[in-house]
Structure formats: structure tokens, C-alpha cells
Amino acid sequence: MQGRRFLVTGGAGYVGSHLVLTLVERGAEVVVIDDLRQGHRAAVPPGVALIEESIADRRRLAEVFAAWRFDAVFHFAALSLVGESMRDPLRYCSENLSTSLAVADAAVKAGCLRFVLSSTAALFGNPKQVPIPEEAELAPTNAYGDSKLMVEKALGWADQVHGLRSACLRYFNAAGADPAGRIGEDHEPESHLIPLAIGAALGTRPPLTVFGTDYPTPDGTCIRDYVHVLDLADAHVRVLDRLDGRSVRYNVGNGTGYSVKQVIEAVERVSGRAVPHGFGPRRAGDPSVLVASSAKLRAETGWAPRYAALDDIVRTAWAWHSAHPRGFADRG
Ligand SMILES: NC(=O)c1ccc[n+]([C@@H]2O[C@H](COP(=O)([O-])OP(=O)(O)OC[C@H]3O[C@@H](n4cnc5c(N)ncnc54)[C@H](O)[C@@H]3O)[C@@H](O)[C@H]2O)c1
């Protein structure tokens, strides 16, 4: 990574900031553009330029690409709440598509022809096969997932016409934190299970609601694939070398699923505290099981999760949240 320079959109956010840390630790130079609507200045390591602007501003993007020569762009900045996307689908489709295309267009015009997109398992909707293979049918069941599919399709055209090589990484559930405790997850509103369960255990968030106990799973609760943020970051670095002459699409997940109840038990084991929780009805549109097959990613890049066990993932999240119960506001 020494001598290479990257632009990271949304690099002050949860997953993006863990990639930034990884790139910096491997000797790369990084520039972050983030309007901090969800991100945190303190999540960006010292020495990394933070441009506090929206990626919707095409003129500003052109200036950024003119000021630095980037080897690649990592594009994280997006609206990403599934529930919100079903209340305001037009905003999700229009904003996620237009901002992504603004970044891709600026990259093409500047001759920066490597692009890594944060895509999502939401592309697969209700999968017919689990673990979900990378070639599975794409049939999103919400506007958020569809907005990412639109971006993936547009990137396909940009490859064909402009030679913009892209890696679309379909993340499953990002989880955990930097094990050294420097950064971690801090969303408001928070929609992810592990921080909500930990917040309930700490008393900083209300008791957890488990949505649905009658799914066709061994304990009746939904099963998801939790992948550690640093394993996600590692996948980003590895795919760069796959972008010579072609674009790629990969699933990034552990390949093992854990139920909501198993996550609650893991948080209780790791923290030594009870997770206050109650039960509610199913949420509309929640598939019962979402687990990735990342067979292609593993075979083609040598990627393998270093944090495959749920307790290891939860331990890093617990270390961050218990030391910073108010998130970055507690980092002094
Ligand atoms: N967290 C997950 O489990 C998960 C799963 C699948 C896909 N993803 C995707 O990964 C990406 C990152 O997710 P995250 O959880 O880190 O989200 P996040 O909200 O923590 O990070 C996104 C960052 O982008 C910034 N941002 C948003 N819109 C912007 C704009 N128009 N201009 C400039 N900055 C802007 C926000 O301030 C934030 O810092 C998203 O694209 C998301 O769709 C995340």
C-alpha cells in the first residue's frame, strides 16, 4: 500500500473508518470526503485529510480529483436504513443513485479507473438458496437494496464504455470494532442488533425487542451472517488487485449464521451482564435466514475471516461500547 493514495467517501462512518485505519496502517495515503451527517470527525485518524462536504456537490468532487491523483475510490457514503427506504423510496433511489454516479463520473473524468462500492446482501431479497452464492438471482425486496442494484448496473455500463473497473462488495451484517478500541460503531438512530443488545446490557439503550419468534429456524428467531468490520476492510484491500482488466462482484460474509437469540446469549456471555429484552411481531420484509457464501471471494483473493466466531466479534464491540457508552462523544 506504500505510495498509493485513495479517496474514501463516507470514511468517517462505521465501516469506512475501519477501512481508512487499515489503509493508513498499511502505509497508504488517504483522503476522506464525508459531510458528517452520520460520521464522526474523531473516527478519522490524524494525518488523514477530511473534506467535510457532500458528495452530491459535483463541482467540489471535480476539485478533489484535480487536487490529488487517486489510485482508487472506495465509495461508502449512502443512505442505508431499510425501514426508512420503505417510507421514502424515491429519496433513497434518487439520492443513492445520483451521489454514486457523481463520484463515478468524477473518477472517470480524472482518469481514476478503480472503484470499490459498498453494496449489500439486500440485493438478494428472499434468497432461494442458503448460503447465498455470489451468482444468486438479484431480487431486492426494499428500496434501499434496489438503489444499490441500480448503482451496480450503472457501474457495469461505466466499465463497458469508460473502462471503470469496479468491485461491488455485497456486505452481510457488518459488526464489531477495532480491537485496539480506537474506533467503533456509533449510529443514531441505531438499527443494528449487536450495538442495540450491548446498549440494553449497559442501560444506555432501552430493552431490546426481538422481532418475530415464529420463523422456520431452530429457535424461531431470524438468522444473519455477521462479518467483522476489519475482515470487511481486508476484503476491500484484496479486491484492488483483482481489478486489472475486469470488474468483480463478491459476497462478503462469514458463511455462518447466528440467530437473534444466539446474539443475545453471546452478548451476555462476553459482557457478564443480562440483556433486557422482550418479544414483538415479525417486521415486514425480514427474510428468515441470510447467510453468505463468499466462495468466489475466498478462491480469487485468498480472503478468509479472521473473526469468524461470534464471541470474538462481540468481544471487540463490547470493548468499544463499554469504554465509550456515548460513542465518539466519550472519546477524548
Ligand atoms: N453496516 C452494515 O452492516 C452494512 C451492510 C451492507 C452494506 N452497507 C453499506 O456500507 C456503507 C457504509 O455503511 P455504514 O454502516 O458504515 O454507514 P455509516 O452511515 O456509518 O457511514 C456512511 C458515511 O457516509 C456519510 N455520508 C452519507 N451521505 C453522504 C453524502 N451525500 N456526502 C458525504 N458523506 C455522506 C455519512 O456521514 C457517514 O459517515 C453504506 O453504503 C451501506 O449501505 C453497510
Side-chain angles (χ1 to χ4, degrees):
M1 289 283 115
Q2 206 79 41
R4 294 169 88 178
R5 186 188 292 136
F6 302 105
L7 178 65
V8 182
T9 78
Y14 172 45
V15 187
S17 61
H18 286 82
L19 173 70
V20 171
L21 198 58
T22 299
L23 292 172
V24 168
E25 283 178 347
R26 297 186 192 186
E29 186 187 341
V30 182
V31 175
V32 167
I33 182 163
D34 194 307
D35 63 8
L36 302 184
R37 69 178 70 183
Q38 269 289 340
H40 307 273
R41 191 172 288 107
V44 178
V48 169
L50 168 62
I51 300 160
E52 217 182 298
E53 310 264 3
S54 170
I55 53 165
D57 185 342
R58 284 179 177 253
R59 218 177 44 190
R60 189 72 185 104
L61 281 176
E63 285 168 6
V64 170
F65 277 93
W68 287 277
R69 257 200 101 66
F70 298 112
D71 291 282
V73 183
F74 296 96
H75 177 44
F76 292 88
L79 300 173
S80 56
L81 298 174
V82 170
E84 189 179 68
S85 84
M86 294 308 280
R87 288 191 295 278
D88 203 349
L90 299 180
R91 176 174 171 231
Y92 263 68
C93 293
S94 108
E95 187 164 332
N96 280 351
L97 186 60
S98 66
T99 52
S100 299
L101 298 195
V103 177
D105 188 43
V108 166
K109 286 184 173 139
C112 168
L113 295 177
R114 284 164 190 235
F115 192 100
V116 183
L117 172 72
S118 301
S119 191
T120 169
L123 253 59
F124 296 112
N126 288 301
K128 295 198 178 86
Q129 191 186 337
V130 179
I132 305 170
E134 276 139 324
E135 305 72 27
E137 184 193 346
L138 304 176
T141 50
N142 55 62
Y144 161 65
D146 214 15
S147 72
K148 293 277 182 175
L149 180 53
M150 291 175 202
V151 177
E152 287 203 9
K153 284 185 178 165
L155 289 175
W157 292 112
D159 179 333
Q160 199 171 309
V161 177
H162 302 300
L164 179 70
R165 308 300 183 215
S166 60
C168 297
L169 299 183
R170 292 140 180 188
Y171 310 167
F172 282 61
N173 291 49
D178 165 37
R182 293 164 289 184
I183 54 174
E185 190 163 10
D186 182 2
H187 288 128
E188 211 48 66
E190 184 55 81
S191 62
H192 296 141
L193 177 60
I194 292 174
L196 290 176
I198 289 177
L202 286 168
T204 54
R205 291 190 184 275
L208 185 73
T209 303
V210 178
F211 296 107
T213 51
D214 57 351
Y215 284 96
T217 59
D219 66 21
T221 65
C222 285
I223 291 179
R224 295 289 179 268
D225 181 322
Y226 296 90
V227 55
H228 196 276
V229 266
L230 287 185
D231 286 327
L232 275 176
D234 184 46
H236 285 72
V237 173
R238 285 170 185 269
V239 298
L240 277 185
D241 295 334
R242 305 298 307 168
L243 292 181
D244 285 331
R246 63 173 195 148
S247 292
V248 292
R249 310 282 181 260
Y250 295 120
N251 289 346
V252 198
N254 256 321
T256 310
Y258 296 98
S259 72
V260 176
K261 282 188 180 161
Q262 285 176 308
V263 170
I264 292 173
E265 287 160 13
V267 171
E268 292 185 330
R269 259 194 315 276
V270 165
S271 68
R273 298 186 186 206
V275 173
H277 63 280
F279 299 94
R282 290 184 180 198
R283 270 186 317 202
D286 261 348
S288 48
V289 182
L290 283 178
V291 177
S293 160
S294 298
K296 205 160 71 135
L297 175 69
R298 288 172 187 253
E300 294 185 2
T301 72
W303 179 85
R306 283 169 297 167
Y307 299 86
L310 180 61
D311 281 22
D312 291 342
I313 294 174
V314 169
R315 204 167 287 118
T316 62
W318 170 254
W320 161 255
H321 289 290
S322 55
H324 308 90
R326 294 181 309 127
F328 284 97
D330 281 333
R331 232 195 57 160

